[in-house]
Amino acid sequence: METRILLVEDEEHLARGLQFNLETEGYSVEVCERGETALERLSNGSEFELVLLDVMLPGISGIDVLERLRGRGNAVPVLLLTARDTEEDIVVGLDAGADDYLTKPFSLPVLMARVRTLLRRAPKATETATFTIGDCTVYPDRFEVERGGERSPLTAKELGLLLLLQRRRGSAVSRGEILQDVWDLHPETKTRVVDTFMLRLRKLIEPDPSSPRYLQSVRAFGYRLLDEEPD
Ligand code: CA
């Protein structure tokens, strides 16, 4: 089965170039120019495995598309293509539910690397050893977490966050350090993205996500992965 990518981009020249290069890499690409069309094409949810989403579109914006998509529970990986690289724009995108972002103009090899990572097919040079959290097993090389025989996929950022906490297991890690390490953002950046991702991870990992045992909050600071199994 070919991997299907939806490219939402109104600049025709750029869209054609990206489509050509992605198809050369073996992906199946559908292009649409407007956010409204993208939402229609994504209404069944499962047809596309990745969305490349331009922010500046002629009708509703890429951010609107993303918010509506996440609002109806669609968790398809989304890579935002932003025209400006101000931290504020990036944060708006991440808070709206983007998995990653690229600032235009970007290089093709960088885009391809991000695409592979979001599709969880990137070879990871290090940290491929599996580890456990409670009754879950995390498989970094497969971008998966398994619990009670059920496997769930992890996005690159979700895995990056888990790996950081695992490296520092038992110690509190600040939000600022997480932002810098996982998102490459300035530690002082005002965003809820770390907390949003932690909520998602707790749903996958915690027996009771509303009362976390393993992925613990450290008040006014950050998060800690419990180093020992509780009794
Ligand atoms: Ca545009």
Side-chain angles (χ1 to χ4, degrees), residues 120-148:
R120 302 184 299 275
R121 286 172 189 176
K124 288 203 67 113
T126 55
E127 299 188 294
T128 52
T130 63
F131 59 95
T132 59
I133 302 173
D135 56 0
C136 292
T137 307
V138 181
Y139 296 93
D141 54 339
R142 300 203 309 243
F143 287 76
E144 277 179 358
V145 59
E146 184 181 342
R147 183 161 162 214

Side-chain angles (χ1 to χ4, degrees), residues 91-224:
V91 162
V92 166
L94 291 173
D95 282 346
D99 294 275
D100 206 351
Y101 60 89
L102 268 183
T103 306
K104 293 179 180 179
F106 45 80
S107 81
L108 203 53
V110 169
L111 174 80
M112 291 301 175
R114 299 288 178 92
V115 165
R116 283 194 298 272
T117 305
L118 282 170
L119 291 166
R120 302 184 299 275
R121 286 172 189 176
K124 288 203 67 113
T126 55
E127 299 188 294
T128 52
T130 63
F131 59 95
T132 59
I133 302 173
D135 56 0
C136 292
T137 307
V138 181
Y139 296 93
D141 54 339
R142 300 203 309 243
F143 287 76
E144 277 179 358
V145 59
E146 184 181 342
R147 183 161 162 214
E150 191 181 328
R151 291 180 187 178
S152 307
L154 295 169
T155 68
K157 297 296 182 200
E158 288 168 346
L159 179 63
L161 179 48
L162 276 181
L163 286 172
L164 173 60
L165 293 173
Q166 165 68 8
R167 284 201 299 276
R168 304 273 299 280
R169 197 154 183 157
S171 308
V173 184
S174 72
R175 273 190 192 75
E177 185 178 345
I178 295 171
L179 281 176
Q180 201 163 29
D181 188 281
V182 180
W183 278 272
D184 214 14
L185 287 172
H186 190 278
E188 304 284 316
T189 308
K190 296 267 175 284
T191 167
R192 304 180 306 274
V193 69
V194 175
D195 309 281
T196 307
F197 269 66
M198 200 58 75
L199 284 178
R200 278 155 64 175
L201 286 175
R202 281 174 173 160
K203 282 183 189 154
L204 293 176
I205 285 165
E206 294 285 348
D208 177 7
S210 61
S211 164
R213 297 162 76 179
Y214 305 106
L215 296 169
Q216 301 177 331
S217 300
V218 180
R219 202 173 161 202
F221 185 76
Y223 291 95
R224 170 175 54 214

